[in-house]
Every structure is written in structure tokens, then in C-alpha cells.
Amino acid sequence: MWLLWAGVAASSLAAAAALRYCVSRPLPSAIGQQWKLLLLDAILKTFICLAHAMERLGLGHHVKKTLRKSTAGPGGSPSAVRDVAFDGVPVRVYRPPTAGEGGLRRGLLYLHGGGWAYGSAKDGTYDRVCRELSRELNTVVVSVDYRLHPDARFPTPYLDCLTAAKRFLTPAALAEHGVDPERVAVSGDSAGGNLAAALAQEIAMDESVRVKFSVQALIYPALQALDFNTPSYRQNRDMVILSRPLMVQFWLQYLGGGPSLKPHLLANGHTSDVAPELRARLDWTALLPPEHQEDYFPVRGDGPRVQGVPRLLPADSWDRLRHSPRPL
């Protein structure tokens, strides 16, 4: 019994320490009602800790035990919301109540965020966002419910989104939903922004796809995993909700790397031994104006390049970097 009480006491002390740490953590002054953000961060971290504990007890993977979806009633609802499948990929389609100019509407393929592990097209938050987008922009919104970690890793989520995109861009699908082929966009936030950027490039180069995206709208996208020591990563390394270590964890999960590699990626050990001419392609200082560089400098990992994440650095990666016309 005393062990139980000792465990409870230790947990209470840890919770109190964590709460004090969260409350005292500095946040940008432009953020209003900071206590709400800190409270949300504490709640999320509590759920994640409990989920990890349940996984250690053999009760399932921690991602599946963490709240993936929230339920919420519809906001300003468009006239029609349907859950369908585009060539086997589940999507939610939002159709606005009125037709556009000439009877055709804009079209938007939306990809939710969540570190390739959380979220859903049917999630309460993303459902409200897509309803609002459809209503305010008079747009047919297709929100893709791509597969997530731990059931899927790269390239499965990307391929799910690509399959849905190609189906949506067919003349038959566009006609069915009353979408103007000249006004179709792709968008996504965070991990969804990564997928949206990849889709925009792939569709643009695919000659078999006649209709192309006319707009790409990326919302705080996760676009690179070669340098985890850029100024933005270092400035926000301990930021609430999404810290630098957590971002690295999401990338490792997505690319099939083990958690033991996290310290190496945080130190840029996964790009430590690239050739000098390729190192210049990864130098973000070439893109950052001198007045904003301040005391930041590129961090280069020591020793041989860390192996174990082949999806991050496939065999032909450096050849493609060498022939890239612009710095990454």
C-alpha cells in the first residue's frame, strides 16, 4: 500500500513541477490569453504521458491511446457534407449552398495536420475549418482522411493524398461536384502542408493529369528535415504544443526511424558527412537576410552520418541535391 501512496505522491510532485514549469515558460508577448495556451499544452502532455504509460503496460500503442479525434457539432454548415471514397481513400466532401459563377464553384483539396499521427478529416477542429472554408469561399472542399502512424508511414500518407488528388482532378469528378477546372487549389497545415507541397509538385510534373492545381496555400508547413538547428527551430525549441524534440519525433515516426535516433537528428548528425559542395546547398544563411542572422550560425553534426532513416536520405538524395538549381 505504501508503494501505491509513494507513487501517487511522486506523481503529484511531478505534476506540480510540470505545471510550474509550464506557467513560468516565456511566450511571445503577441499571444493573448496565454494561460489558455499553457493549459492546453499541459492537458495534451498529460494525455501523452498517460498514453505512454498504457503502452508500457501492454495496452496498445501510445498514439492510438492519445485522443486523435474530437467531436463537435457543425458550425456554419454548408448545404451538403458527405463521407465518400476517392479510389479507396476516405474523404469528406463539403459543398456550399449556392453555385458559383456560371454554375461552377472553386475547388479545394485540404490535408489536415497532426504530425502524420493525429487528426482526421472528421476531427471536430478540422471539420469546423472545412465547413467555414466552404461557406465563406463558396468552395467545394475535399478533406482527405489519409492513414496515420503507427498504422502507416512514408510514403503511405503521401500516396493516399496523391490518389485522392488525382481522382478529384479528373473531369468526371470535377463535373460531379460542379467545380471549375481552372480554379482548383491544394492546401494543408503543418504535416498537411508538407503533403500539399509534395502533391503540388507531383501533379505539376505529371503529364497524365490534365487539370493542375492553380493555387497552393501552405499553412506553417513542415517542409524540411535536413537541419533541425535553423533559427526558427532554435528560437522555438521549447515552445508549447510543438517543441523541437517533438517535431523530430514526428519526423522519425513518419520516416520509420527509431526513437534512439532523436539526439542525433537534434544535433544534425544525419547530415554530418555530406560533401562540401552539397553542404552549401543546405546552408540556410544564403536565404536569410544579414540583418536577421544575428548570432545564429549553421550547426554541423560531428562524426559519420547517422544511418537508420533510409526514407529521409535515399541513395539518390545527394545526386538530386547536386543538380538542384536553387539552395534548399
Side-chain angles (χ1 to χ4, degrees):
M1 180 63 69
W2 68 270
L3 287 175
L4 175 62
W5 284 110
V8 172
S11 299
S12 299
L13 288 174
L19 180 61
R20 182 175 181 180
Y21 169 72
C22 287
V23 172
S24 63
R25 186 184 306 180
L27 291 174
S29 58
I31 297 178
Q33 297 184 314
Q34 296 188 4
W35 68 271
K36 289 185 178 181
L37 183 60
L38 293 169
L39 179 61
L40 176 62
D41 181 65
I43 292 173
L44 289 175
K45 284 181 170 53
T46 299
F47 274 112
I48 291 173
C49 288
L50 290 174
H52 277 283
M54 295 176 71
E55 180 176 346
R56 286 192 291 271
L57 293 173
L59 299 178
H61 196 281
H62 70 274
V63 170
K64 291 189 174 182
K65 293 302 177 183
T66 307
L67 291 180
R68 259 189 176 170
K69 302 178 181 179
S70 60
T71 56
S77 177
S79 60
V81 177
R82 290 195 301 148
D83 292 325
V84 298
F86 280 3
D87 291 341
V89 177
V91 301
R92 176 166 282 191
V93 180
Y94 303 80
R95 297 185 65 171
T98 59
E101 183 178 344
L104 296 178
R105 307 175 179 89
R106 303 177 185 91
L108 172 65
L109 186 80
Y110 193 84
L111 311 171
H112 69 80
W116 305 282
Y118 300 100
S120 167
K122 303 172 186 177
D123 180 275
T125 299
Y126 286 109
D127 180 64
R128 287 194 299 272
V129 167
C130 290
R131 288 174 186 270
E132 193 71 11
L133 285 172
S134 180
R135 184 175 63 87
E136 290 290 329
L137 301 178
N138 196 30
T139 299
V140 174
V141 178
V142 174
S143 183
V144 184
D145 215 8
Y146 58 89
R147 284 172 285 182
L148 302 169
H149 175 82
D151 299 324
R153 60 186 181 185
F154 179 82
T156 300
Y158 164 73
L159 294 177
D160 282 352
C161 296
L162 182 61
T163 297
K166 287 186 174 182
R167 178 68 181 88
F168 184 41
L169 292 173
T170 61
L174 294 174
E176 176 186 354
H177 297 289
V179 173
D180 183 349
E182 300 296 324
R183 298 190 297 169
V184 186
V186 61
S187 181
D189 66 287
S190 193
N194 169 281
L195 295 168
L199 285 189
Q201 294 183 54
E202 178 66 25
I203 294 297
M205 296 184 295
D206 190 338
E207 296 181 357
S208 68
V209 181
R210 292 167 49 194
V211 178
K212 307 294 185 181
F213 292 119
S214 57
V215 174
Q216 174 187 229
L218 308 181
I219 306 169
Y220 47 85
L223 295 182
Q224 66 89 20
L226 298 177
D227 188 348
F228 291 106
N229 288 274
T230 60
S232 59
Y233 266 119
R234 290 157 69 183
Q235 289 170 4
N236 300 286
R237 61 183 180 273
D238 297 318
M239 185 55 61
V240 295
I241 307 298
L242 186 60
S243 64
R244 187 169 70 112
L246 182 57
M247 191 68 224
V248 171
Q249 176 182 318
F250 282 143
W251 274 108
L252 284 171
Q253 290 174 172
Y254 181 49
L255 298 171
S260 63
L261 296 176
K262 184 188 292 187
H264 301 287
L265 267 67
L266 286 169
N268 283 351
H270 57 309
T271 58
S272 60
D273 63 351
V274 299
E277 67 271 18
L278 298 180
R279 172 66 60 185
R281 315 297 285 184
L282 306 178
D283 187 358
W284 49 261
T285 59
L287 304 175
L288 191 64
E291 62 269 23
H292 297 299
Q293 290 186 14
E294 300 179 4
D295 58 346
Y296 296 107
F297 53 87
V299 174
R300 302 178 182 178
D302 297 324
R305 175 159 51 91
V306 174
Q307 305 296 319
V309 197
R311 291 173 176 80
L312 176 59
L313 297 170
D316 63 343
S317 291
W318 302 122
D319 288 335
R320 286 188 278 113
L321 275 175
R322 181 178 289 110
H323 295 97
S324 175
R326 295 188 295 254
L328 296 184

